[in-house]
Structures are given as structure tokens and as C-alpha cells.
Amino acid sequence: MKDKPLAATPAQLFAGLPISSQPHVQCQRCGTVLYEGATVTLRAARPADSHEWTLQRVCCEACATTDLHSTLGYTELRLRCRLASRTDCRTQRARLVILAPTVLATSSPTESQTETDADETRSQEPTTEPEPTANLEASHGR
């Protein structure tokens, strides 16, 4: 029997998600080191034909933007959350996780920014796209 995808709110889906095995992450705009307790914004994206979410950008409060530059064919979310530390006592490993995520902006796969908007965005953002920091799958059994 094939697994059916489960419906979940972004808060349910992203709460507790590990984003680093280090005790910190860096703002991908200004490089500020962010530790447990910091409030950050995250950008998450998912192709229209997939159940997997990819976290694409972590920003400090000073670098956070409220707008979301949508990409055709992707569902995208901008989330505000706190960073927390979760420890596995058995293995003695701690991970930095997402706590109390709140959706700030969304875009559907049918939306896309115009070329003019994209050019303005490119001039304001770094020229290299950061590496994804995590993948999630919103399907049964995860």
C-alpha cells in the first residue's frame, strides 16, 4: 500500500527541525554568528511536484526582510523562529533546532517575480546562493 502524504501546518512541520550540528549558524547576509535563543528568519522552498522542503537561507533579525521573492514552480515560505538546542542524552550530541516557527510570507507555485524585481533583488543580495541547510519530507512516516 502506497503511503499518503499527511497535511501539516508549517508550525507542525518545522518545529524541532535540526538546522545545524554546530552550536551556532551564521546569518547568510551579514555573517553574524547566531546562537541558541536568537530570533531568525528562514526561507523554505518546495517544488510543486515534491513533498520535500529545503531550508535555503537563515538571516538575523537585522537582515530579515518581510517580502518573499517568489519562484515559479515552487511553494515558498518565509518563517520567523527562535533557535534552540536539543540534546540526545544517549549519544551526547546536541543540535541546533527551530523553535516556535511563525509564517511571515508565502508564495504559491503559480507566482513569480518579474525580471525587473529579480534584477533589483540580485543587486541587493549576495551573488552566490547559499547551500541548503536541511531537507524535510512531509509524507507519512516522517
Side-chain angles (χ1 to χ4, degrees):
M1 179 150 90
K2 188 175 180 180
D3 290 339
K4 288 185 176 182
L6 299 175
T9 66
Q12 292 169 323
L13 190 60
F14 292 99
L17 174 72
I19 62 170
S20 178
S21 59
Q22 302 298 314
H24 64 276
V25 292
Q26 283 188 305
C27 173
Q28 292 177 330
R29 286 186 179 242
C30 70
T32 299
V33 178
L34 305 162
Y35 295 93
E36 178 180 12
T39 299
V40 299
T41 60
L42 304 169
R43 179 178 172 207
R46 176 181 64 106
D49 61 349
S50 175
H51 295 292
E52 290 189 29
W53 288 90
T54 302
L55 295 180
Q56 297 179 322
R57 179 168 291 150
V58 177
C59 291
C60 66
E61 285 187 287
C63 294
T65 60
T66 56
D67 57 337
L68 186 63
H69 303 290
S70 47
T71 305
L72 189 62
Y74 283 80
T75 299
E76 295 173 311
L77 301 173
R78 180 163 305 284
L79 304 163
R80 176 180 292 130
C81 62
R82 283 192 330 268
L83 299 178
S85 183
R86 182 173 61 192
T87 303
D88 181 341
C89 293
R90 182 173 170 263
T91 62
Q92 295 296 302
R93 292 188 67 197
R95 301 201 78 175
L96 205 56
V97 299
I98 294 172
L99 188 65
T102 302
V103 176
L104 300 176
T106 63
S107 73
S108 73
T110 57
E111 296 175 358
S112 177
Q113 69 188 51
T114 64
E115 283 187 35
T116 304
D117 292 341
D119 291 340
E120 290 172 9
T121 300
R122 275 190 223 106
S123 67
Q124 296 170 359
E125 294 184 2
T127 55
T128 58
E129 187 67 22
E131 293 288 322
T133 55
N135 285 326
L136 286 179
E137 187 173 301
S139 64
H140 185 67
R142 283 284 206 177

